[in-house]
Amino acid sequence: MMKPSDQKSPSRPKELILGTLSQRDFVSGEALARELGMTRPAVWKHITRLREEGFIIESLQGKGYRLKAVPDILFPNLIRRELKTAYFGQTIRHFLHTDSTNTQARAWAAEGAAEGALVVSEYQEKGKGRLNRIWQSPSGKNLLFSLILRPDWPPQKAFYGTVLASVSLCRAVQEIAGISVGIKWPNDLYVGNKKLAGILTEFATDPDRLEYMIIGIGVNCHWAPVEPLPGGQPATSILKEAGKKISRLLLLTRFLAHGEALYQRSQSAGVGFLREEWNRYSVVNNRKVTLMNGQTSWTGLAQGIDEQGGLILLLEDGRRETFLTGDIHLRFQEADFF
Ligand code: BTN
């Protein structure tokens, strides 16, 4: 596993060099060394590393270095440059390669990571989906990240983390890709009959409040599995649906901006409004669905979610039942579980 490329402040030499080059035209090696408190050979070594990572850095005799192009890698300094939030995404750990951003975020949260801390990876060896499924994604094609939150909520409200993330992601995808997405209960984003993104929310309790919550999100930006894995659903990508590539960076930063705005509102006004937002994007509401729990199944008309995120079904025999998350297997387009 590789070490993350960043902590809170851009204190690492490569970050400092990039920060300086991205704000100026040509900068001499001597000026970089002097301003950043490094030796000339250290500047040269870090410039070489940056070039190996895909940055195009021009060098001209007598003028110095100039940043010409940045690779499509979600480096923390690039994310921060684009961010318009107070704390969502302000502390970042970025990996080129890791086991799972959720696993990394859990460990970081247990060590005391700040609210809004973000873990991003280009590739996951053990990307986790719900019910121990695998989340697949080739390196650099999609968006894979986990956000750490510390809401003062009882554990029963944990589902609102998923609600907040789904609504924010729907808005961000619509803005950046121009495609209409909906939420399929409990935590998938769909375009038509196909899954575009999945959310895996994990949490630790303290014991009667949430200690931290990890919201893990995988968005199929430029790649989707051709065949669903066992138990999985047919998938699609933004590239397929919008017919164009998008900026993963902009998608992520728009998500964080929407997420922070909704989170702040939930802290002042309570979480009730999130349910209304969720219902607005739901693709199951007013549709006939079959819910499975073990060997038993119920068929009915979906009527939204209750305060705990349970799906309300108007059953065929006229009874109204709420199915709580965790015990429910939902069959809508394809088998799905929470
Ligand atoms: C699902 O639909 O089953 C949920 C998938 C969640 C996948 C994301 S990818 C980033 C984050 N890290 C993980 O290991 N899983 C989530």
Side-chain angles (χ1 to χ4, degrees):
M1 197 184 314
M2 301 183 85
K3 289 232 166 76
S5 67
D6 192 38
Q7 299 293 327
K8 166 73 185 156
S9 59
S11 56
R12 290 165 59 89
K14 279 192 303 185
E15 296 286 321
L16 288 170
I17 291 174
L18 276 180
T20 307
L21 290 182
S22 62
Q23 284 159 27
R24 311 239 288 264
D25 198 36
F26 278 101
V27 189
S28 70
E30 191 191 336
L32 277 172
R34 193 181 54 247
E35 290 173 28
L36 304 178
M38 297 175 201
T39 61
R40 291 279 301 272
V43 168
W44 183 80
K45 185 183 86 186
H46 294 303
I47 296 262
T48 306
R49 295 249 166 88
L50 286 166
R51 285 175 169 152
E52 284 164 5
E53 286 171 8
F55 289 88
I56 313 280
I57 300 173
E58 198 181 357
S59 64
L60 261 188
Q61 189 107 41
K63 290 187 99 176
Y65 298 106
R66 180 164 69 167
L67 183 60
K68 273 192 83 180
V70 294
D72 185 18
I73 294 180
L74 296 165
F75 286 112
N77 67 320
L78 300 178
I79 299 174
R80 262 195 232 100
R81 225 163 52 181
E82 206 51 58
L83 261 184
K84 295 181 178 60
T85 58
Y87 53 101
F88 271 37
Q90 290 294 343
T91 312
I92 306 170
R93 281 187 178 173
H94 172 266
F95 296 86
L96 292 174
H97 183 167
T98 190
D99 46 5
S100 145
T101 56
N102 266 35
T103 305
Q104 292 298 325
R106 276 195 95 121
W108 196 15
E111 285 164 18
E115 176 147 83
L118 182 74
V119 179
V120 187
S121 188
E122 303 299 326
Y123 179 72
Q124 299 181 123
E125 255 169 54
K126 292 184 186 155
K128 296 194 281 183
R130 279 171 287 125
L131 289 179
N132 295 324
R133 294 202 196 115
I134 298 166
W135 185 261
Q136 290 179 291
S137 178
S139 184
K141 297 275 184 200
N142 293 332
L143 203 45
L144 309 166
F145 65 95
S146 302
L147 180 70
I148 299 171
L149 293 183
R150 297 182 180 278
D152 185 22
W153 295 344
Q156 302 90 283
K157 286 224 166 103
F159 186 75
Y160 283 93
T162 304
V163 174
L164 186 140
S166 336
V167 172
S168 308
L169 198 55
C170 283
R171 291 183 177 173
V173 170
Q174 276 170 2
E175 276 173 25
I176 301 299
I179 52 175
S180 185
V181 275
I183 304 168
K184 175 176 167 285
W185 184 90
N187 43 7
D188 290 333
L189 254 63
Y190 263 62
V191 179
N193 295 337
K194 294 193 173 146
K195 178 162 167 169
L196 185 82
I199 301 172
L200 178 66
T201 302
E202 301 181 283
F203 55 88
T205 54
D206 206 7
D208 57 348
R209 308 300 287 172
L210 288 172
E211 186 195 339
Y212 60 79
M213 183 188 270
I214 308 295
I215 304 178
I217 301 187
V219 187
N220 294 334
C221 296
H222 303 133
W223 181 90
V226 179
E227 287 288 323
L229 291 168
Q233 303 124 71
T236 190
S237 65
I238 289 178
L239 178 60
K240 273 196 198 129
E241 299 299 329
K244 60 174 186 196
K245 284 191 153 194
I246 49 111
S247 159
R248 295 182 305 148
L249 178 69
L250 290 184
L251 184 60
L252 174 62
T253 51
R254 286 312 296 151
F255 165 83
L256 292 167
H258 285 300
E260 186 176 279
L262 290 177
Y263 189 58
Q264 284 176 336
R265 191 170 156 203
S266 78
Q267 283 177 322
S268 54
V271 290
F273 79 96
L274 281 173
R275 202 146 48 98
E276 286 161 32
E277 292 291 331
W278 192 94
N279 278 324
R280 209 167 287 156
Y281 285 104
S282 167
V283 294
V284 297
N285 287 2
N286 301 317
R287 292 177 83 156
K288 198 174 172 187
V289 298
T290 301
L291 263 120
M292 301 210 36
N293 191 353
Q295 298 306 311
T296 323
S297 70
W298 293 263
T299 297
L301 202 62
Q303 302 204 304
I305 51 169
D306 76 349
E307 313 80 61
Q308 288 184 35
L311 187 68
I312 305 164
L313 277 193
L314 179 62
L315 299 176
E316 287 174 323
D317 62 10
R319 280 181 305 129
R320 184 170 278 117
E321 291 264 343
T322 302
F323 294 85
L324 286 170
T325 54
D327 298 316
I328 313 281
H329 292 190
L330 168 66
R331 274 211 183 134
F332 173 45
Q333 305 289 348
E334 292 281 332
D336 184 36
F337 307 91
F338 177 57

